[in-house]
Amino acid sequence: MGDNDLTVEERVAIAALVISLFALLGVVLQYVQAVIGRINGLSIRDKEVLGKWAEHAKISFRWFRGEVHYEAPIIFMAASDNTRGPIDDKEIWYVDGTRESCEKTRVELPTNDLRERVHTHKNELATWILVIEAAQMMERDSKQWEAGEWRKFASEHGAPINLPYKGPVTLAVAIQPMRRSFDKHPAVKRPYATTAICHIIELCAVLGIYWKEFDRDNNKYRAEGNGYSVLGNRVHDFGLVFTFEKPGWPRFEKNRVIPTTEVKELSFGNVPTFYRDKKDDRNWKAPITEQKDLKTLQLGSRTEIAETLNLIRCNEYTTQCYSDDTKKHVHLFPVVFEVMAMLARPFHIKDRPFTYLPNPVAFPLNKQAFSPRRLLSEFRKRLNVEINTDLGPKYTPPTELANIDRLASDLEEELPRRDGEYSPKCLNDLHDAIDEVGDSILNKTSKDVVLDVLRRHVQEVLLAINTSQRDIDWAEYSPTAAAPPPAGRPIHFPTPASAPGTPAQPPLFPPITTDDGATGEVSFDDLLKTPHEKREAALIKHYFDDIRIRAVSLDETNQHYDQEAAQASKDIHYSEPGYDGLGLVGLQQTTTAQTMGTMSEDGNTTTHSSPRAPTLGINSRRATGTFSNGRLPPTPSRAETWRKHGLTNTEVRRNTIWFALVFRMICWLLLHDFDKKDVQLPKSELMGSRLSVFIV
């Protein structure tokens, strides 16, 4: 039957069927379009958004609903030999900068071309891909620089070349892939990686990014540094979201942060000390709520620094130098860095040339303002003169002090004159010197005695910083005056009496009472006028001639230093097990026939070759009588009495501890560096926190 045989009704029916089929197809297409249009994250299945991770993004349908599944990383910080991650039974990819590692982590191997480092047109790319690329670049560039440093050292010294360290490291960037769906979090329109608040803080520290704002009350977070920028805020119904950007040119060479696990604590303002065994590190990953010993220093805020000084048992004035922001606490650099350098572990990894650390202190350290290298030179010079000539105090240097002199002399010959230009061998020597001083002196001495010498040193330094030379001059003129003359007013000293014995005329103005001035006898005001190249010599001179004497001395009868502190120090020594009253606990004493000058605690001189009459107390050595104006003559300084009568046995021991602490401090500052713009913001309670945060 042909088409001509179809009736009109049949033709109309066929036409209606065809139209209906087209209409049905249109409805089906509209429905499919509606279903696809409702799929969240459909646009991310593009390399411009996910890079190589886009290959693992797929669409699945369930109950006539479409859903985009994609893989995104969980980023965390761990030792490179760690096998446990957030996802059980899932492989952990550790970033090491190699091509194989880049393939595993699904990022392009970063180029060395500076022109390709900063892109202004890739705004669609997920910023967590930049995080992985930054970690890969850090590992690759730092290893290339490390190999170059060893090649340079080998060519200059004819030594064998040490290839870059290839063993496990205690801190590395780790990644685990996890499948995610946009339907689970409809508030987020971009693919996101997951991490923890503690890990993103540690990650920023490792990459050389320091926080400028960390406001948890207003959910504002901002960090920058080394060519990177991090911004964070809270997204409603989701959580804390961070974006990672690269507006500059990053560099990972000398400034690469030391890859050691202690960085996880330094990032939060906590500093492990040499009193803490490394075997106990796992017990310190939880936040420190209330510390009862000094296994860890907390220095992330003024309040934490004051509490740490309280733990060292410093006096109230010393703690107020940090709790009260009107007090001064800087000479050439903030004094709290002295405390940290005297007690902190060496974080340097032997045979590796990296020296940078995240700053755990609430104040910056700018090594352009002073030279640790010149501090070492001046320290060695003064120590060498003291123990090898008769120009210093009279005492027999113990073998430990001679060992410090040897170490300082060796470093003086080994280290180049310019700060920071140290080969891996020089860094190893600094590390060894710190370890040797600790093993031979500090670890063999009672912890209470070491901390007592330290606290009295810090007390005297901060008091000297806050004491004006004008205050000292006025006190010397009029010991009974309530206060010095006000700043800016001329000082009118009394006119000399016309007849002998006639009292001098009083000043032309009455003394004005004030609570602002400190009452110390040493001032660092001269450091303000000292040329830049001479500041270290001036500081070491103050330390040897003024601070050391006041930190070490135990004679509580003299009037020129803290009598109560001296008595408290004596009580600490008396409580030591095995203390024999001669100060011979913990350190060796060497004697020679020609040197005489150690006194026992009762004031009697201990002689070894020729007898010597017992020395009297300091007050009995003070001159009597008065000047013509009725004033008493000045009290002999402790430096004068030390040069004339010598030190007691316990003072010799404390003197050795003081030298060990100061030498350790200088070596520690030579061995470690900080970015001068890096300042710790209070966040110590977040250490170890697993609060989930997201990088989009």
Side-chain angles (χ1 to χ4, degrees), residues 44 49-50 70 72 126-128 182 188-193 695-696:
I44 71 161
V49 178
L50 283 178
Y70 67 97
T127 64
W128 47 263
F182 274 104
V188 182
K189 305 300 182 183
R190 293 174 61 86
Y192 59 88
I695 307 174
V696 298

Side-chain angles (χ1 to χ4, degrees), residues 10 42 171 211 326 377-378 448 485 502 562 575 660 663 694:
E10 291 175 336
L42 186 63
L171 186 66
W211 294 95
T326 62
S377 297
E378 296 299 327
D448 289 337
T502 305
D562 192 343
S575 64
F663 178 67
F694 309 95

Side-chain angles (χ1 to χ4, degrees), residues 148-221:
E149 288 295 296
W150 276 112
R151 283 194 295 268
K152 179 181 176 182
F153 174 78
S155 63
E156 293 176 353
H157 298 82
I161 298 178
N162 282 16
L163 295 177
Y165 182 79
K166 293 184 178 181
V169 294
T170 56
L171 186 66
V173 180
I175 294 173
Q176 277 187 309
M178 182 177 181
R179 183 164 294 278
R180 296 191 177 278
S181 169
F182 274 104
D183 285 3
K184 301 297 187 294
H185 295 288
V188 182
K189 305 300 182 183
R190 293 174 61 86
Y192 59 88
T194 307
T195 184
I197 185 68
C198 66
H199 290 313
I200 197 169
I201 293 173
E202 296 160 8
L203 179 63
C204 288
V206 167
L207 295 175
I209 307 171
Y210 40 87
W211 294 95
K212 294 291 189 179
E213 185 177 11
F214 203 92
D215 186 354
R216 284 180 289 163
D217 293 334
N218 298 311
N219 291 312
K220 292 183 179 180
Y221 308 89

Side-chain angles (χ1 to χ4, degrees), residues 265-266 268-273 276 284 288 291 293-300 304-305 308-309 311-312 336 338-345 360 451 454:
E265 297 184 57
L266 298 174
F268 298 91
N270 296 336
V271 183
T273 69
R276 193 175 100 197
W284 288 85
I288 304 171
Q291 191 179 191
D293 51 26
L294 275 175
K295 292 184 177 181
T296 299
L297 302 176
Q298 291 189 285
L299 308 173
E304 289 180 346
I305 294 173
T308 298
L309 294 178
L311 205 59
I312 302 175
V336 66
E338 281 197 42
V339 179
M340 179 176 67
M342 289 178 177
L343 295 177
R345 291 178 183 171
L451 295 183
L454 172 62

